[in-house]
Amino acid sequence: MLEFWLELAKGPIFRFSFALCVLGLARIVMLSAWGAAKAYYAAGDKELPYSLIWRTTIHWLFPIRMGLRNRPFFSIVSILFHIGLIIVPIFLFAHIQLWYQGAGLWWPAIPRHLAEFLTVTTILSAILLFLARVWSSASRHISRGQEFMWPLLLIIPFLSGFFCSHPAWSPLSYNAMLLIHILSGNFILLLIPLTKISHCILTPFSQFISELGWHFPKNSAKDVEITLGKQGQPI
Amino acid sequence: MDRVRRFKLLLWSICGLAFAVAFRRFLLGLGSSTNLNDGTPWGLWVGFDVMGGVALAAGGFVITATVYILKKEEFHPIVRPAVLTAFLGYAAVAVGLLADLGLPWHIWHPTIYWQHHSALFEVAWCVMLYLTVLALEFLPVPLESFPRLGKIRNFLVKNRLILVILGIMLSTLHQSSLGTLFLIMPYRLHALWYTPILPLLFFISAISLGLMMVSMESLITSYLYRREPETHLLTKLCKVAAWVLGGYLIVRILDLLVRGEYLAIFENSWQSWWFIIEILISAIIPIVLFTSKLTRGKLGWITLGVVSGVSGFVLNRLNVGGIAMAGTTDSFYFPAWTEFAISAGVVSGAALVFLFAIEHFNVWEHPPRDEEDEKPYTLPRFAPVGTIWLGDPHTAGMKRNSMAFVVAAAFGFSLLPFSSLESKGLIKTPANSARGKDIMQIDANRDGFFVTFDHKKHENSLGQTQSCAVCHHAKLPADEQTSCAACHQDVYLVTCIFDHEKHKTWLGGNQSCTQCHPAGQNRSVDTAVECNHCHNAEDASLVLAVQESPIRMDQLNMAGSYVDAMHGLCVTCHKEIAERIYRPLHGTCTTCHPFVAEESKYEWDKLTQTTASPRWVISTPLLQENIDVEKLKESVAAQ
Amino acid sequence: MKSILTDITKCIGCNECVLACKRTYDLPPELPRRWHKPDGLSARNWTSIVRLPENKFVRKQCRHCQEPACVSACPVGALIKNAEGPVTYDGGKCMGCRYCMMACPYEIPRYDWDSAAPYIRKCILCYERIKEGKQPACTEACPTGATIFGEREELLAEAKRRRQENPKLQLYGDENEIGGTCVLYVSDVDLKAIYNGRDLRGDPALPSTTAPVLASVPLTFVGVGVLMSGLYWTINRREQLKKEGESGEKANG
């Protein structure tokens, strides 16, 4: 029975989630590009310092230096978290084996010890990030439900994956742990294009748009009010 | 607009599903996504997408002829939709063809490699030219929105008559030539459909189908956009269609009478029933509904007649393109769901472009208005899940439709198996053990043809009970004699016989990984220890291969196909012996396959009683060319 | 014109011709697949031995018709009939429409269904070997002389001679059978069995079914054009006259 569910999770359910993730992200990019183009053509004032905006956008896409200066601990944890999050699922040997068996695709893997180290750092940094979010009242106030949920949700596949590679320490049988691992991974793939995790592909867009906002001409807020037909209303 | 919105959502979903199927079809080839086979190389995509598509798009030339040649100005309001339908129909044919062609990137080849004896060559050229003509005929409509290109538009409008006449000429040719395609297959096509005047029948039916298709398109769009249907025009169109249908029916029946094949209608076979259904819904029902005093001019009945007629002629094209060939080839074909998905996807795509054109250009006198598009700027809305902002409300329709597309495509991907076994069309043929004891029947695939193997004789000549190991090379733990089929499990395919799950259980579940996979290394087949790590002489109960066996201990995980295993074992030994005893016949195919199988099947009992050696079909010895005679003589002398 | 004569009475079904063909063209081993027909021919088996009741073995291969339906059907001329007799295939021209498979009355051409870039596959009568003066691999390999290679006229005469010797034999592939084929059979069984019950003897060549229709194409094209122009002119003229008449009446009135 467990084997049947494993096959289902590795096969159809994975294909569904993966396809939804890739196509969903492509959809979001296209919609954003379309919306941006429409806004550009609708805009009254196109005289903006675009080269400067581009430069600052690209600059802020790699916020390591600035982040290290302002909140060093948080930045380091966050960077560690992201490194593990991206590298481990893509370059884990076992995952590449599955791609090779299923689709004949192959790429270099990271060594097992590195993968395990990164898994542990990811789990730990996820816990720290969650605690930081709960601890700091400023971040608690600007957080939605999903912001609290995500670090915890991301721990599940990493922890279960860790137990899958060390079944001797696992509280459950190997197959049960594997099923949890695959299903939670699929669930995350499914949620990527629907939630804030879409920032993995939307960051350049949102960064660009917020940079644009910094360089709006004076009094443009009034124009926005007029355009929206909401003069004198509280925002 | 609510109906249109729902309809578009449906169309986008179908397109999404078709996208997933098309992905697989272009990645893995036709065999993976269709049920086509060597006996039925043309299927739904030719029958429906190409033949049906061209026929359904016949409305373009029929209506332009009516309005611009015959000057029936009252039909002017439906010219633009009719031309647009035709254009999109032909474009859909081209797209459907891309899926169906084995080498779609060669689709342009008929333009440079000419072969004017081929009906398909003519169809290809006509469709190409007519698609261009239709594009030029329709181009003035979108050009209305671009005043800067007014000159081009004026030029096209001025020369419209030439385009119209050219369109009629080309349509006449290829509508009929689609029938000509099938004239070359008199043995395939059933007599009820195969007739020398097939081209004529195709042409006449295309005219009536064009009229009905224009009506149907008008009825559907009226329903979707909640417009008042043009009932008076439809009534007139259907009246003409009824006349043409009448002519078609008469020609069809006359043809059957002249050829003397009319009795086949009553032969109560698969084909005869399809014929009856086809004639009934393509011609008789529409004629009755369009002409009877009770029903004519009433919208509901018109709709029924049009739907019946259109589906009837699609069935006609499907019959000619495949259904009526079912009895004459020794293969079975029913379209796979993936084929239906592509066909539906192509139609949905065309419909979406049609709706887009209707909403954005003056296909009708006044394009329909969508209140959603006309909303003034409101505060931005957030997506219900995750509350992320995806653009302004103008893109609401896009967001909805693209989401439907993405979800449907993902669903399609989840349904499509990507395993190589299925996409390569391989069929598993489980191997069965040989039957018998002293004399055995080796018939692994149980097809009734078997090799008769005298086990006793081999045992005797190879050394009594000491000889088992000569042939039997492997055994399961605690087993004396393991059947060949236990490991060589498929007659033609290689089988993986390593059971990971069982080994895990035997070795202690969760604690056992490091027993085979060295700690600290990536775990895979390549890095695991070899089988002889455990299966060695130290523990007799674990030894799998008998001593002096040809198989290596590290190769215990894969077993070759049953056929290869048997040939490898028997042929090698037999050839060796043939050389040694200077009897070349001992090492040929006919030694074991004497081709008396047909008889031996019935005379099995007799054979076992007499323990006779297999009978040969060839009586004269044949010297095999690959045997070195000198070497043979030497070996004989040495003995 | 080169030709092959296969004598069913001499065939012992040893499959040497099949193996020789596979060796010559480096065809990979065949596995049972969903799209195969039971006759054993496939994209990887260009010839096969069909086993019929009473231990009759019929070698099936492309018949290399004198007037091939496949050649006349192919819209891009990827299949051609060579002067030496073989019907050969040029994959570089083919667009994969599979009309040849539909058109062939013997249902010989097979398809690479599992390939993403599939080609038509069938016997090409070892065209390259014939040009070099060698005989096809299959006839060379035959141990019993059941299938032999030679000039078509000579083989036809030989076949007729064998038929005279043994009146039970039937001849397949002479000019009566859809215009004649380059692969001839002398058989004591009815070959209907390997062609889905079709007996093509006495039938005309298949290109003649479409040729008259296609010959009338230019005429139809021009005819419809003239008819439509004439129709337009007549109706237009009538309308103009009517208008003139009306305006004349008005002017008079």
Side-chain angles (χ1 to χ4, degrees):
Chain A
M1 194 59 204
L2 213 52
E3 280 83 15
F4 168 77
W5 278 100
L6 270 176
E7 282 307 311
L8 206 66
K10 274 198 273 186
I13 298 178
F14 171 74
R15 284 199 299 271
F16 181 82
S17 333
F18 188 74
L20 197 82
C21 173
V22 172
L23 294 173
L25 287 176
R27 161 182 177 263
I28 287 178
V29 168
M30 279 187 231
L31 283 177
S32 311
W34 177 263
K38 246 188 157 175
Y40 178 79
Y41 284 111
D45 193 350
K46 295 189 174 80
E47 296 293 316
L48 291 171
Y50 278 105
S51 62
L52 177 69
I53 292 172
W54 274 119
R55 250 183 294 131
T56 42
T57 303
I58 292 164
H59 183 71
W60 276 103
L61 282 183
F62 306 96
I64 297 171
R65 231 167 353 124
M66 262 72 78
L68 278 181
R69 202 161 49 215
N70 294 338
R71 295 176 67 188
F73 177 72
F74 179 79
S75 297
I76 290 170
V77 171
S78 171
I79 289 164
L80 278 179
F81 177 68
H82 278 88
I83 287 176
L85 206 58
I86 294 167
I87 289 182
V88 174
I90 298 178
F91 293 101
L92 188 77
F93 182 79
H95 290 180
I96 300 173
Q97 282 283 307
L98 286 173
W99 278 101
Y100 184 68
Q101 282 167 19
L105 300 174
W106 183 89
W107 58 92
I110 52 171
R112 186 182 159 87
H113 287 306
L114 179 60
E116 275 172 7
F117 173 73
L118 285 176
T119 307
V120 174
T121 56
T122 310
I123 295 171
L124 292 179
S125 54
I127 294 170
L128 286 176
L129 284 179
F130 176 72
L131 291 178
R133 197 173 273 282
V134 179
W135 200 261
S136 150
S137 71
S139 55
R140 203 164 58 228
H141 275 103
I142 58 163
S143 298
R144 292 163 290 173
Q146 57 162 310
E147 255 100 10
F148 295 108
M149 177 204 76
W150 266 109
L152 299 178
L153 185 58
L154 284 170
I155 288 174
I156 300 175
F158 276 85
L159 200 62
S160 56
F162 185 77
F163 281 132
C164 280
S165 94
H166 294 282
W169 303 340
S170 162
L172 294 170
S173 80
Y174 175 78
N175 282 354
M177 201 44 101
L178 193 61
L179 188 63
I180 293 172
H181 176 69
I182 299 173
L183 284 180
S184 59
N186 286 345
F187 186 57
I188 286 168
L189 281 178
L190 209 63
L191 287 184
I192 283 176
L194 302 174
T195 56
K196 72 167 218 171
I197 305 298
S198 54
H199 76 260
C200 64
I201 201 131
L202 275 185
T203 308
F205 288 90
S206 48
Q207 194 63 46
F208 179 68
I209 285 164
S210 62
E211 285 299 326
L212 271 183
W214 286 110
H215 295 90
F216 272 165
K218 275 183 191 169
N219 297 332
S220 50
K222 291 253 162 51
D223 294 341
V224 174
E225 268 187 11
I226 293 163
T227 317
L228 290 175
K230 292 193 179 294
Q231 296 101 311
Q233 290 182 24
I235 293 174
Chain B
M1 297 298 287
D2 55 332
R3 282 175 183 167
V4 191
R5 237 172 264 151
R6 272 198 298 266
F7 189 57
K8 278 187 188 165
L9 209 60
L10 177 71
L11 294 178
W12 275 102
S13 313
I14 298 173
C15 284
L17 200 64
F19 171 80
V21 176
F23 185 85
R24 180 174 140 101
R25 180 254 167 272
F26 287 109
L27 196 72
L28 299 176
L30 284 166
S32 65
S33 320
T34 65
N35 275 349
L36 296 173
N37 54 55
D38 280 333
T40 322
W42 281 2
L44 185 73
W45 291 347
V46 172
F48 178 75
D49 295 20
V50 177
M51 307 221 320
V54 168
L56 290 173
F61 88 94
V62 177
I63 298 298
T64 49
T66 316
V67 172
Y68 294 114
I69 306 283
L70 302 178
K71 298 267 174 187
K72 302 281 185 207
E73 285 294 329
E74 72 257 42
F75 292 110
H76 206 276
I78 54 169
V79 168
R80 285 181 167 190
V83 172
L84 180 60
T85 314
F87 172 67
L88 292 173
Y90 278 86
V93 168
V95 174
L97 209 54
L98 282 177
D100 182 68
L101 288 181
L103 306 164
W105 51 93
H106 285 173
I107 193 171
W108 53 278
H109 272 187
T111 54
I112 55 163
Y113 300 120
W114 285 31
Q115 210 289 83
H116 53 267
H117 296 296
S118 169
L120 196 56
F121 171 76
E122 194 223 307
V123 173
W125 263 97
C126 282
V127 169
M128 259 188 301
L129 292 176
Y130 189 43
L131 190 58
T132 318
V133 166
L134 280 170
L136 293 177
E137 270 186 55
F138 185 70
L139 202 56
V141 178
L143 282 184
E144 280 172 2
S145 317
F146 301 95
R148 264 184 289 172
L149 302 171
K151 269 188 190 168
I152 303 176
R153 185 181 132 72
N154 287 345
F155 176 79
L156 288 174
V157 172
K158 214 182 272 175
N159 293 301
R160 179 184 282 146
L161 191 68
I162 299 173
L163 289 174
V164 168
I165 292 181
L166 204 58
I168 298 166
M169 290 154 82
L170 289 167
S171 291
T172 315
L173 284 193
H174 71 256
Q175 291 288 358
S176 55
S177 290
L178 278 175
T180 319
L181 281 187
F182 293 88
L183 288 185
I184 206 161
M185 358 185 151
Y187 306 101
R188 264 182 176 269
L189 200 53
H190 190 265
L192 282 171
W193 286 273
Y194 185 84
T195 156
I197 59 160
L198 201 56
L200 181 68
L201 289 175
F202 264 51
F203 179 65
I204 304 176
S205 59
I207 296 177
S208 58
L209 183 55
L211 293 166
M212 289 192 282
M213 190 60 199
V214 170
S215 318
M216 185 145 133
E217 167 262 303
S218 166
L219 284 167
I220 292 176
T221 45
S222 309
Y223 171 79
L224 286 178
Y225 290 99
R226 295 183 189 277
R227 293 167 94 227
E228 194 59 39
E230 298 138 324
T231 316
H232 62 289
L233 275 185
L234 297 181
T235 315
K236 277 185 190 166
L237 279 178
C238 291
K239 205 173 131 195
V240 182
W243 276 103
V244 183
L245 281 172
Y248 168 77
L249 198 60
I250 291 168
V251 174
R252 189 97 197 250
I253 288 166
L254 274 181
D255 164 67
L256 282 175
L257 290 174
V258 169
R259 285 189 299 120
E261 298 285 0
Y262 52 92
L263 282 178
I265 304 173
F266 311 107
E267 72 187 10
N268 191 22
S269 63
W270 160 266
Q271 282 90 355
S272 72
W273 280 108
W274 277 115
F275 179 83
I276 292 168
I277 294 171
E278 180 202 312
I279 290 292
L280 203 65
I281 63 174
S282 70
I284 294 173
I285 292 181
I287 291 177
V288 170
L289 289 179
F290 296 160
T291 53
S292 157
K293 265 188 191 159
L294 278 174
T295 53
R296 120 190 121 193
K298 291 187 182 118
L299 204 62
W301 292 112
I302 289 181
T303 313
L304 187 66
V306 162
V307 169
S308 157
V310 167
S311 43
F313 279 112
V314 169
L315 177 63
N316 168 257
R317 299 309 197 255
L318 285 173
N319 275 338
V320 174
I323 296 174
M325 298 180 186
T328 54
T329 58
D330 54 356
S331 53
F332 177 79
Y333 167 79
F334 187 82
W337 74 266
T338 41
E339 286 175 78
F340 286 111
I342 291 270
S343 292
V346 170
V347 174
S348 305
L352 281 171
V353 180
F354 185 87
L355 296 180
F356 177 86
I358 275 194
E359 285 167 20
H360 291 82
F361 307 121
N362 295 324
V363 177
W364 294 336
E365 264 175 66
H366 308 290
R369 294 255 163 267
D370 187 349
E371 60 273 19
E372 196 175 69
D373 270 348
E374 291 178 355
K375 271 184 210 158
Y377 265 98
T378 50
L379 281 176
R381 288 186 306 193
F382 294 95
V385 186
T387 55
I388 33 174
W389 182 68
L390 291 175
D392 60 65
H394 272 280
T395 52
M398 281 175 74
K399 277 188 281 183
R400 211 170 32 228
N401 293 334
S402 60
M403 197 64 210
F405 180 90
V406 166
V407 171
F411 184 63
F413 277 113
S414 80
L415 287 182
L416 289 168
F418 275 79
S419 83
S420 64
L421 199 68
E422 301 210 18
S423 62
K424 295 280 172 204
L426 293 171
I427 301 167
K428 284 185 185 162
T429 321
N432 294 290
S433 303
R435 289 180 285 201
K437 190 163 178 280
D438 286 347
I439 294 181
M440 306 183 89
Q441 275 178 307
I442 303 177
D443 178 18
N445 56 357
R446 292 283 190 267
D447 66 345
F449 297 106
F450 51 79
V451 165
T452 310
F453 177 72
D454 195 332
H455 191 267
K456 194 81 192 164
K457 200 173 140 193
H458 280 81
E459 198 184 312
N460 289 340
S461 60
L462 292 172
Q464 302 297 351
T465 48
Q466 307 300 312
S467 65
C468 303
V470 177
C471 302
H472 295 275
H473 56 198
K475 63 181 184 67
L476 294 174
D479 189 14
E480 280 297 306
Q481 46 174 14
T482 302
S483 143
C484 311
C487 294
H488 304 283
Q489 285 165 14
D490 193 281
V491 182
Y492 304 101
L493 304 176
V494 175
T495 316
C496 174
I497 49 171
F498 177 74
D499 194 331
H500 187 264
E501 204 56 31
K502 270 188 187 154
H503 278 78
K504 207 176 73 193
T505 317
W506 286 327
L507 296 173
N510 280 356
Q511 313 294 327
S512 62
C513 299
T514 45
Q515 292 187 39
C516 301
H517 300 284
Q521 272 188 30
N522 284 323
R523 289 167 191 165
S524 75
V525 186
D526 305 324
T527 54
V529 297
E530 288 174 352
C531 306
N532 58 4
H533 186 75
C534 299
H535 296 284
N536 55 23
E538 280 173 34
D539 188 347
S541 66
L542 287 178
V543 173
L544 286 179
V546 291
Q547 281 179 336
E548 291 144 28
S549 141
I551 54 169
R552 298 206 331 257
M553 286 306 245
D554 54 336
Q555 287 178 338
L556 281 171
N557 54 341
M558 295 303 246
S561 74
Y562 191 85
V563 166
D564 285 346
M566 287 300 165
H567 281 168
L569 181 68
C570 304
V571 176
T572 323
C573 196
H574 266 249
K575 282 213 162 141
E576 222 172 77
I577 292 168
E579 275 190 36
R580 205 166 65 225
I581 62 173
Y582 191 37
R583 257 185 70 190
L585 253 186
H586 203 67
T588 60
C589 304
T590 44
T591 315
C592 304
H593 304 278
F595 307 128
V596 290
E598 202 75 17
E599 289 165 38
S600 65
K601 205 163 150 187
Y602 308 109
E603 300 182 6
W604 170 242
D605 296 331
K606 219 195 278 178
L607 267 174
T608 46
Q609 280 158 19
T610 56
T611 61
S613 59
R615 274 172 285 166
W616 314 106
V617 262
I618 34 173
S619 47
T620 49
L622 289 161
L623 208 59
Q624 289 286 301
E625 46 188 327
N626 54 355
I627 294 174
D628 188 345
V629 181
E630 291 304 315
K631 203 174 150 197
L632 273 178
K633 282 178 185 166
E634 274 172 33
S635 66
V636 172
Q639 283 177 11
Chain C
M1 195 169 284
K2 301 294 183 190
S3 185
I4 282 181
L5 171 64
T6 301
D7 192 335
I8 303 307
T9 56
K10 289 190 178 180
C11 181
I12 56 167
C14 66
N15 275 294
E16 283 298 327
C17 49
V18 179
L19 294 174
C21 178
K22 288 185 83 104
R23 274 196 295 271
T24 311
Y25 294 99
D26 224 357
L27 300 176
E30 187 55 290
L31 296 164
R33 290 168 196 267
R34 175 183 66 69
W35 45 76
H36 282 174
K37 297 223 295 174
D39 61 10
L41 285 185
S42 73
R44 296 169 170 198
N45 287 352
W46 298 355
T47 180
S48 71
I49 302 283
V50 181
R51 197 197 303 239
L52 295 180
E54 295 172 10
N55 292 323
K56 300 292 179 194
F57 303 99
V58 184
R59 179 152 91 90
K60 199 169 176 183
Q61 68 176 113
C62 174
R63 298 289 296 268
H64 299 279
C65 308
Q66 305 271 63
E67 293 178 55
C70 57
V71 171
S72 104
C74 181
V76 291
L79 288 157
I80 46 166
K81 174 82 177 169
N82 293 282
E84 291 90 341
V87 175
T88 55
Y89 170 70
D90 179 359
K93 286 183 181 175
C94 180
M95 56 180 196
C97 67
R98 310 187 291 286
Y99 189 23
C100 49
M101 300 175 73
M102 293 293 281
C104 179
Y106 301 107
E107 297 187 13
I108 296 294
R110 298 296 148 99
Y111 211 49
D112 271 337
W113 293 105
D114 59 329
S115 165
Y119 295 100
I120 293 288
R121 294 283 176 239
K122 70 173 197 68
C123 160
I124 53 169
L125 204 59
C126 287
Y127 183 50
E128 293 298 320
R129 289 171 64 101
I130 289 182
K131 275 204 295 192
E132 289 168 17
K134 287 195 266 184
Q135 61 166 318
C138 50
T139 54
E140 197 178 76
C142 183
T144 60
T147 183
I148 52 173
F149 175 74
E151 286 293 326
R152 186 163 185 273
E153 281 70 40
E154 291 168 17
L155 288 184
L156 204 56
E158 166 70 13
K160 282 177 181 158
R161 192 186 60 76
R162 288 188 196 179
R163 208 176 147 205
Q164 271 175 351
E165 280 177 10
N166 183 356
K168 268 207 271 180
L169 294 180
Q170 299 178 55
L171 172 59
Y172 289 85
D174 61 354
E175 266 59 23
N176 286 328
E177 184 172 342
I178 57 164
T181 66
C182 274
V183 172
L184 308 162
Y185 285 90
V186 179
S187 168
D188 56 349
V189 286
D190 200 335
L191 290 195
K192 261 202 247 181
I194 64 165
Y195 297 126
N196 288 334
R198 298 173 191 168
D199 195 346
L200 277 58
R201 285 173 301 169
D203 289 350
L206 285 170
S208 66
T209 53
T210 51
V213 184
L214 288 171
S216 68
V217 159
L219 195 69
T220 318
F221 189 66
V222 176
V224 171
V226 170
L227 182 72
M228 284 299 142
S229 312
L231 213 53
Y232 173 77
W233 187 83
T234 319
I235 292 171
N236 206 27
R237 180 85 188 140
R238 200 197 287 160
E239 269 190 6
Q240 268 182 359
L241 286 178
K242 206 167 149 192
K243 257 185 212 163
E244 274 171 25
E246 275 172 12
S247 58
E249 272 172 25
K250 267 183 198 165
N252 290 343

